[in-house]
């Protein structure tokens, strides 16, 4: 069930997608309130930009402590509002973001240290250049619902460490997780206005974009990404767009098939397949296709699906009815096109098992209904889709081209390395990919030919969790980068400071011009501009003549 704005009201309603129970309601910010948040962020920026890296580090490390102290309660909230298993709330949201926080708290100063730039022959004229990095101002973060905690918290940490203030508009499906992110910063002692949470839907997001923040960090669909890019262009606001994926996994005949099968199951089904870097297409060498498929089906059969608060549940609920409908549509299309369902292929109406042990803390809403749907309500909850393995597929099928964003794993075959690369690249997307082989030189050769922002060799999906490395896509998977030094540079403006340390004589290119000036510039074009010291030495007499002319 989607969290929705009640018609005519100014509230968002959040539901537990595993039980159908209402979690609570939050006010929906109006366009005016969104614009006011950007303004407030600008006021706070005046002071925040002047804080030292040491002070920012202290506060981020304090925020980590808050998160660690409330870890179980926060993981339970993430699980309850998004449908993912408690285990994944810990392993895929909390562990990576804690690592990102310590890394950028400790390293941002070094990563943004002023840098001298080599300026070639200009240095011989007593000039020097350096770059300093200045925070942009108000960074507006608009995330999706699938990693509703780690993505906004991680991006906000990086923006704050770089000296910016932050306005976050959580997804309308996960407003309480968004509020929790704000609460962590507040409890850590970040100053008022440095981090603001503005809950709302697409219209609130659009109002934030229109308010002209200094940077927009967007995570979501290609369609919304295009709308945001168009709207941001009006104020020339720069954007980072983290969009969809249709990520291929290529398994060669010499791969460790047992490991590849286990990786494929995790890569395709974690978070119910709702990861931008999910394995959405698997291409396996025809000689080992049957063996790999059998292993994958066996491992899938062993998984338990149910409410995220059970410790033995590996596959939780999907996040919205809309998303389940897309999965159903894709599976139906595959079947109609001749594909074969090896396992799964339907909603799982029996997945809602009431369990004895509940993660009952719910600080998010203080609502007595939280997580307490009746069994009857729960049994009807329709948002579980079985992990599904499909064979007899090819790239002509619609579901092999459009992002499914659900627990499906279509398996196709190839016969040569070239064919595997061609099939993997046959997509409008290019976020991540993986190559499985025991031959590392083949792994690297293939990886380098794949059009994707990150390619793993004998690994799958998880590099968003390595905050030290750049994250972002090629083609329709996005523009710009988050994470790593490349991501940090998106959050600052480089300023070039150029100094003439001698400053005694006019430059040869200054006014007034003359025949002598033109003769000098002609010679400079062939000598000085070649970067060769030797050639430049030959133009010195002409240069001296020209400078004398100006010095008169
Ligand atoms: P979405 O585009 O529907 O919504 C994303 C966010 O944009 C939400 O907060 C929404 O309220 C807001 N929004 C909607 N319309 C807007 C507008 N006109 N102006 C400003 N904001 C607006 O996407 P979704 O369904 O929440 O997320 C699923 C998509 O996110 C998938 O395609 C997935 O691949 C992608 N994703 C990408 C990455 C990545 O790193 N590349 C990570 C996670 C998810």
């Amino acid at each position: 069930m989607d969290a929705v704005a009640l018609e005519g009201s100014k509230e968002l309603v959040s539901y537990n997608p595993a039980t159908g129970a209402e979690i609570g309601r939050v006010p929906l910010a109006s366009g005016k309130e969104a614009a006011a948040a950007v303004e407030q962020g600008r006021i706070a920026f005046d002071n925040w930009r002047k804080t030292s890296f040491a002070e920012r580090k202290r506060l981020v490390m304090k925020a980590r402590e808050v998160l660690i102290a409330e870890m179980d309660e926060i993981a339970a909230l993430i699980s309850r509002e998004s449908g993912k298993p408690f285990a994944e709330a810990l392993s895929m949201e909390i562990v990576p973001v804690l690592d990102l926080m310590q890394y950028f708290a400790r390293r941002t100063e070094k990563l943004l240290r002023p840098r001298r730039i080599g300026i070639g022959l200009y240095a011989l004229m007593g000039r020097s250049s350096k770059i300093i990095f200045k925070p942009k101002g108000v960074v507006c973060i608009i995330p999706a619902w699938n990693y509703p905690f780690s993505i906004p918290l991680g991006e906000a940490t990086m923006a704050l460490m770089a000296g910016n203030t932050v306005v976050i508009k959580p997804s309308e499906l996960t407003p309480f997780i968004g509020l929790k992110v704000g609460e962590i910063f507040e409890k850590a002692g970040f100053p008022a206005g440095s981090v603001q949470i503005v809950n709302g839907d697409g219209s609130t997001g659009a109002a934030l974009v229109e308010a002209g923040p200094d940077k927009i960090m967007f995570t979501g669909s290609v369609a919304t990404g295009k709308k945001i890019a168009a709207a941001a262009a009006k104020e020339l606001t720069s954007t980072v767009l983290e969009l969809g994926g249709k990520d291929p996994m290529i398994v060669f005949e010499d791969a460790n098939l047992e490991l590849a099968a286990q990786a494929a199951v995790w890569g395709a089904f974690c978070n119910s397949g709702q990861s931008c870097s999910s394995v959405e297409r698997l291409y396996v060498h025809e000689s080992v296709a049957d063996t790999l498929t059998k292993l994958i089906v066996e491992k899938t059969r062993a998984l338990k699906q149910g409410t995220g608060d059970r410790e033995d549940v590996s596959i939780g609920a999907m996040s919205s009815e809309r998303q389940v409908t897309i999965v159903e549509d894709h599976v139906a299309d595959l079947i109609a096109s001749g594909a074969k369902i090896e396992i799964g292929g339907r909603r799982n109406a029996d997945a809602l098992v009431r369990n004895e042990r509940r993660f009952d803390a719910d600080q998010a809403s203080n609502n007595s209904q939280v997580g307490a749907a009746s069994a009857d309500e729960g049994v009807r909850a329709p948002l579980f889709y079985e992990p599904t393995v499909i064979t007899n597929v090819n790239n002509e099928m619609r579901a092999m081209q459009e992002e499914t964003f659900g627990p499906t794993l279509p398996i196709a075959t190839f016969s040569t390395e070239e064919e595997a690369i061609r099939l993997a690249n046959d997509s409008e997307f290019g976020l991540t990919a993986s190559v499985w082989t025991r031959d590392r030189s083949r792994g690297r050769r293939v990886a380098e030919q794949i059009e994707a922002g990150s390619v793993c060799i004998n690994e799958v999906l998880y590099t968003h969790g390595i905050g030290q490395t750049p994250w972002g896509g090629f083609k329709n998977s996005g523009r710009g980068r988050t994470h790593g030094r490349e991501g940090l540079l998106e959050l600052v403006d480089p300023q070039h400071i150029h100094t003439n340390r001698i400053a005694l004589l006019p430059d040869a290119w200054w006014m007034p011009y003359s025949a002598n000036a033109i003769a000098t510039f002609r010679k400079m074009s062939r000598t000085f501009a070649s970067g060769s010291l030797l050639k430049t030495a030959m133009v010195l007499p002409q240069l001296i003549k020209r400078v004398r002319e100006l010095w008169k």
Side-chain angles (χ1 to χ4, degrees):
M1 209 173 297
D2 296 11
V4 288
L6 294 179
E7 212 166 315
S9 91
K10 296 202 168 164
E11 274 184 330
L12 279 178
V13 187
S14 170
Y15 294 94
N16 179 332
T19 63
E22 180 180 322
I23 289 180
R25 293 160 189 239
V26 300
L28 184 149
S30 66
K32 246 187 179 166
E33 287 164 327
V38 172
E39 212 35 59
Q40 194 58 38
R42 212 153 259 146
I43 294 166
F45 176 63
D46 262 355
N47 284 326
W48 181 251
R49 69 190 305 179
K50 295 177 199 142
T51 53
S52 65
F53 282 110
E55 173 62 0
R56 295 175 201 162
K57 173 182 170 184
R58 186 185 69 75
L59 289 170
V60 170
M61 293 308 268
K62 186 83 187 85
R64 286 184 84 255
E65 282 170 29
V66 174
L67 168 50
I68 289 168
E70 298 180 17
M71 181 156 55
D72 273 24
E73 176 204 319
I74 292 172
L77 169 65
I78 296 171
S79 169
R80 192 161 43 242
E81 201 173 38
S82 73
K84 70 183 70 182
F86 181 83
E88 282 177 2
L90 284 175
S91 68
M92 300 188 74
E93 300 236 43
I94 292 180
V95 174
V97 83
L98 281 169
D99 186 42
L100 179 150
M101 290 168 91
Q102 66 77 21
Y103 176 71
F104 284 101
R106 295 186 171 124
R107 294 298 288 253
T108 301
E109 182 171 13
K110 189 162 181 221
L111 292 169
L112 296 183
R113 189 169 283 166
R115 279 190 305 133
R116 284 186 81 98
I117 313 171
I119 52 171
L121 297 178
Y122 289 99
L124 295 181
M125 300 180 191
R127 323 291 160 107
S128 68
S129 279
K130 73 170 181 177
I131 289 195
I132 62 170
F133 299 98
K134 303 181 111 174
K136 282 188 168 287
V138 183
V139 175
C140 177
I141 299 172
I142 305 179
W145 42 263
N146 61 337
Y147 289 95
F149 184 72
S150 56
I151 289 182
L153 180 51
E155 290 180 354
T157 297
M158 291 176 66
L160 289 161
M161 280 306 304
N164 303 285
T165 56
V166 163
V167 179
I168 301 171
K169 193 217 71 75
S171 164
E172 51 272 49
L173 295 187
T174 52
F176 284 104
I177 298 171
L179 289 176
K180 182 53 83 176
V181 170
E183 198 185 300
I184 289 171
F185 286 116
E186 196 185 329
K187 285 187 180 167
F190 276 80
S194 56
V195 182
Q196 297 173 81
I197 309 296
V198 175
N199 263 315
D201 55 13
S203 67
T204 319
L208 277 176
V209 174
E210 205 173 303
D214 302 287
K215 183 86 189 190
I216 296 163
M217 305 291 292
F218 170 73
T219 307
S221 61
V222 176
T224 310
K226 285 184 180 174
K227 278 189 209 161
I228 288 181
K234 286 191 195 136
E235 295 296 331
L236 296 178
T237 307
S238 100
T239 57
V240 166
L241 305 174
E242 298 291 352
L243 310 177
K246 191 77 191 170
D247 295 357
M249 171 171 179
I250 299 175
V251 183
F252 284 102
E253 65 283 4
D254 65 341
N256 178 337
L257 294 184
E258 180 63 37
L259 200 68
Q262 218 169 342
V265 167
W266 182 72
F269 303 144
C270 66
N271 206 21
S272 276
Q274 301 167 116
S275 302
C276 48
S277 48
S278 279
V279 175
E280 291 239 346
R281 303 174 282 152
L282 192 152
Y283 300 104
V284 55
H285 190 269
E286 57 193 7
S287 64
V288 293
D290 287 347
T291 314
L292 185 76
T293 304
K294 201 162 155 262
L295 284 169
I296 288 174
V297 171
E298 268 169 22
K299 290 176 195 309
T300 304
R301 188 164 287 124
L303 299 177
K304 247 188 205 157
Q305 186 164 39
T307 51
D309 51 359
R310 288 184 69 100
E311 284 179 348
D312 59 348
V313 157
S314 298
I315 316 263
M318 295 189 67
S319 288
S320 69
E321 175 60 35
R322 182 174 144 255
Q323 209 52 52
V324 183
T325 308
I326 294 172
V327 176
E328 286 184 316
D329 172 44
H330 279 194
V331 171
D333 181 71
L334 286 168
I335 293 170
S337 314
K340 180 179 172 215
I341 303 291
E342 301 285 345
I343 187 169
R346 59 184 185 105
R347 289 185 191 237
N348 185 352
D350 308 324
L352 189 77
V353 261
R354 310 307 299 167
N355 52 316
E356 320 72 48
R357 192 172 84 75
R358 300 196 64 83
F359 299 98
D360 49 12
D362 184 13
Q363 302 298 319
S365 67
N366 292 326
N367 184 321
S368 59
Q369 279 194 314
V370 171
S374 75
D376 282 346
E377 256 183 297
V379 171
R380 288 198 301 270
L383 297 189
F384 292 95
Y385 197 92
E386 288 185 354
T388 299
V389 179
I390 310 150
T391 52
N392 281 355
V393 298
N394 62 59
N395 276 17
E396 307 308 311
M397 298 174 178
R398 185 161 59 85
M400 290 290 277
Q401 293 294 335
E402 294 174 8
E403 187 181 43
T404 305
F405 223 53
T408 57
L409 179 56
I411 303 176
T413 60
F414 65 85
S415 53
T416 64
E417 188 176 308
E418 292 68 36
E419 188 188 9
I421 295 166
R422 184 177 55 73
L423 290 171
N425 285 339
D426 173 26
S427 172
E428 64 169 290
F429 295 107
L431 188 57
T432 79
S434 72
V435 183
W436 292 76
T437 171
R438 285 194 169 94
D439 176 349
R440 268 193 268 159
S441 71
R442 166 151 78 173
R444 278 194 296 272
R445 183 172 68 236
V446 172
E448 285 171 18
Q449 292 178 77
I450 291 183
E451 297 153 2
S454 300
V455 185
C456 292
I457 301 165
N458 298 329
E459 250 309 342
V460 78
L461 186 141
Y462 87 116
T463 59
H464 187 274
I466 315 175
Q468 294 83 343
T469 60
W471 179 264
F474 290 5
K475 304 195 264 188
N476 273 353
S477 286
R479 295 290 180 275
R481 292 294 178 267
T482 55
H483 295 181
R485 182 159 193 273
E486 291 76 3
L488 201 58
L489 292 181
E490 299 274 4
L491 299 161
V492 289
D493 282 322
Q495 184 178 44
H496 171 205
I497 309 271
H498 184 74
T499 310
N500 179 356
R501 280 177 278 130
I502 300 175
L504 292 173
L505 298 169
D507 288 334
W509 50 86
W510 287 2
M511 294 172 184
Y513 303 134
S514 64
N516 181 34
I518 289 171
T520 308
F521 302 157
R522 275 210 185 96
K523 283 198 175 149
M524 282 179 75
S525 308
R526 297 201 180 86
T527 56
F528 178 81
S530 71
S532 156
L533 186 59
L534 201 68
K535 283 189 181 169
T536 302
M538 286 156 54
V539 85
L540 269 181
Q542 179 74 37
L543 268 173
I544 292 168
K545 196 170 150 202
R546 167 67 180 146
V547 171
R548 273 199 176 152
E549 179 183 45
L550 289 170
W551 191 232
K552 268 193 271 172

